[in-house]
Amino acid sequence: MSDRAGSRSRRGTVLAALAVFLVGVGMRTLPLHWTPLPYNVDGFHFAALAHRAGRTGHLSAAAQFIHPDEFVFTAYLTAVSQATGVAPLHVAQLLVAVIGTVPALVVFVLVWGICEQLGWRRSHTRLAAVLGGLLLSLDGVYLGRSAAVSSEMLGHALVVLTALAFYRALRTERPAWMALTLGFVVALPLTHNLSALVGALVLLAIFVRSLGVRTHVPTRRRAVFGSAIVALFWLDMLVYYQHTNLTAAGYVTALPGLLVAWMVFLVLFAGWLPSAGTVVQRFLPTFAVGGVGTLLVANHFLPIFPGSASTAPLQLALLVPLALVGLVAAWGLPKLARDAGPSVVVVGLLVGPLVLIGFAMTGSLTHEYEALAVRGQVFAHFALAALAAITAVDIGLRRKSSSVPTLGRRAVVPLVALCVVASAPFAFAGLHATPAQPTVTPTEFATGTFAANHVQGGWIGDGHMVIMTTNYYKDRTSAQYTPLYEWLKSGGGSTKGGTVAPDTPPPACPIVVQRSWTTLGAQVFPASPTKISADRYDHLTANRSVVYSASGRDPLVVTTPRRAGNCPVGPNEGPAAGLSSPRNESGS
């Protein structure tokens, strides 16, 4: 009977993990409902790299276009495309859907291990693990980043896997876990710059926390291995990025004193947290969640980072439910803060990203540091999902309280689940809620292809079309969005959708124009979209020659000036001349 019961239990566990996997993959393949192409503009960059590498049989064919932190994902996409016989442009989204679900499965494993260590019943353990995996799978913020075809998505998976492997290596001191940790540490800097930085902070927090566990006195082997891995990780990452002159890493190394200060804070905080009182342990993450919410609301009225987008009303509406989930997670932190088991990983995954956010917010009020904070907070969602799931099940099904009605307690689990589901549309809201439009339709790709193949000289468009086209046709076209931005800011459009001065001529360049500029607005990232009036749109297209037209839900036209003029876009010029790197739009 016991064997049969054990078999049923194992089958139930596998089915629970399979449910998390299927939901995660399903949500990340939703963009295929709108387009068979990669979900985001960065996907075209990696598809082009993989196409070049696959055609020649080696990565060196695309080496001039590969950033120092893109080798791993490019090689992975190339290998999958070659193995399946499907072009990178069409296999990328399916590949990302699988990889993007890996962190949800790791959360499932972590929550399961924590609940078992806490002595929970099997049914409660399974429910909490499934809830944790589903919370991360459906989390609108993380869903948007993990559905994007970029090296950051692979970085997410490697960070949680590295954290878990490092914890197991410290706990068991087995050579296999040590070797696996070393492999991840070497791979992360080659995979994604921000993920490597977050991973280094997370491992530092886990190591400090493991040294402070009273029930497991650290052996010399554990101390030597842990300190060696942490030191090697930081040294490898900093030397590699310094040697390769990676621009994105420069924003961190430009403030070495501030970085060291925050690392010292991390060490002190991670060592002190277990001994802090329950009220303090709950207050700190509550303060972080409340602080982020306050910044979002304040940014709606007055942009905190000059030149960046204000918070859209729809963005606030979709993110408020996640703030409620964050408060539930904060309430449960004391249950894990003093635990010596897998909780160490969850606490490390929480502390590491929070320290990065603190560094970015105290670094500089520029778009680059805003992007660092916004992208860094995504990594905190791994820990928040685990904490919220454990807390919700503990309050709703395990804890008995005479002051709270049973019905109210049991509503916590479905309420947390509904809040996360309500946030899911944020991942695909595009310009309705964010300053960048990720989805590329076949019509847009066809228009970009025409511009790359048939427009002589340089051309201009908004950031969405220019970056997508130059990402895929890297040495075939010359396009910029800077002249369009300057025209819109000088009177070529109105952020309020009002009228535009008719005497403001557009640049004397071919222009890719979209009808949605009159409704959603032209993408002028990092600022909010800029609308032009319908009259101005008609005036723009009527006074220029239309050489290409594409119909659809959002019609596009390629227009050329009827009179010769001086186009500011020269041959072989990048899309972001005079502005910050366009790659910050999607965070790669």
Side-chain angles (χ1 to χ4, degrees), residues 13 33 168 221 322 324 347 396 451 458 460 505 560 578:
T13 303
H33 174 72
R168 294 298 300 169
R221 186 178 184 181
L322 279 184
L324 298 178
V347 173
I460 65 174
T560 58

Side-chain angles (χ1 to χ4, degrees), residues 50-215:
H51 176 72
R52 287 172 179 265
R55 186 176 56 190
T56 60
H58 48 82
L59 283 176
S60 60
Q64 69 182 106
F65 303 110
I66 299 180
H67 289 241
D69 60 342
E70 295 176 345
F71 286 101
V72 174
F73 184 62
T74 301
Y76 196 20
L77 179 57
T78 303
V80 171
S81 175
Q82 292 296 299
T84 60
V86 182
L89 205 58
H90 299 292
V91 77
Q93 194 61 48
L94 291 172
L95 174 63
V96 163
V98 174
I99 300 175
T101 306
V102 169
L105 295 176
V106 174
V107 167
F108 177 94
V109 171
L110 286 172
V111 173
W112 190 287
I114 292 170
C115 293
E116 280 194 333
Q117 181 147 335
L118 293 174
W120 286 19
R121 288 165 46 185
R122 180 58 65 97
S123 59
H124 292 160
T125 296
R126 182 180 295 117
L127 176 60
V130 171
L131 181 61
L134 292 180
L135 290 183
L136 189 59
S137 295
L138 299 169
D139 180 326
V141 173
Y142 175 67
L143 175 59
R145 294 308 310 153
S146 58
V149 180
S150 75
S151 53
E152 180 178 346
M153 168 275 315
L154 183 57
H156 291 157
L158 286 181
V159 166
V160 294
L161 290 172
T162 304
L164 181 59
F166 186 56
Y167 159 75
R168 294 298 300 169
L170 293 175
R171 185 68 179 268
T172 66
E173 300 184 10
R174 292 179 179 174
W177 285 112
M178 293 181 176
L180 185 60
T181 303
L182 181 61
F184 286 147
V185 165
V186 172
L188 258 173
L190 300 172
T191 303
H192 186 247
N193 63 86
L194 182 63
S195 300
L197 178 59
V198 172
L201 292 171
V202 169
L203 261 58
L204 179 59
I206 292 175
F207 180 55
V208 171
R209 184 68 186 86
S210 67
L211 292 179
V213 175
R214 297 178 181 177
T215 56

Side-chain angles (χ1 to χ4, degrees), residues 152 155-156 159 194-195 198 349 353 375-383:
E152 180 178 346
H156 291 157
V159 166
L194 182 63
S195 300
V198 172
L349 288 170
R375 292 164 55 203
Q377 59 84 29
V378 175
F379 292 85
H381 288 243
F382 307 142

Side-chain angles (χ1 to χ4, degrees), residues 205-375:
I206 292 175
F207 180 55
V208 171
R209 184 68 186 86
S210 67
L211 292 179
V213 175
R214 297 178 181 177
T215 56
H216 296 275
V217 179
T219 63
R220 177 178 297 181
R221 186 178 184 181
R222 179 190 301 179
V224 170
F225 168 75
S227 57
I229 282 292
V230 171
L232 174 65
F233 199 166
W234 281 97
L235 183 63
D236 177 41
M237 177 179 62
L238 295 176
V239 170
Y240 176 67
Y241 289 153
Q242 185 71 26
H243 177 71
T244 55
N245 295 317
L246 184 66
T247 303
Y251 301 128
V252 176
T253 57
L255 301 171
L258 184 63
L259 177 62
V260 171
W262 276 102
M263 289 175 62
V264 171
F265 171 80
L266 182 150
V267 171
L268 297 177
F269 180 75
W272 167 79
L273 183 63
S275 61
T278 299
V279 174
V280 175
Q281 290 172 340
R282 285 174 176 161
F283 170 76
L284 292 175
T286 300
F287 177 78
V289 173
V292 172
T294 301
L295 288 176
L296 284 173
V297 173
N299 193 62
H300 173 71
F301 299 99
L302 181 65
I304 297 173
F305 293 88
S308 296
S310 59
T311 306
L314 180 59
Q315 183 179 9
L316 278 177
L318 293 174
L319 294 184
V320 165
L322 279 184
L324 298 178
V325 176
L327 294 178
V328 173
W331 185 264
L333 180 60
K335 182 174 285 293
L336 275 65
R338 299 183 181 93
D339 187 45
S343 302
V344 172
V345 180
V346 175
V347 173
L349 288 170
L350 177 65
V351 173
L354 290 181
V355 166
L356 178 64
I357 295 171
F359 168 81
M361 296 301 294
T362 55
S364 175
L365 292 180
T366 61
H367 165 63
E368 289 77 15
Y369 288 90
E370 178 197 24
L372 192 63
V374 170
R375 292 164 55 203

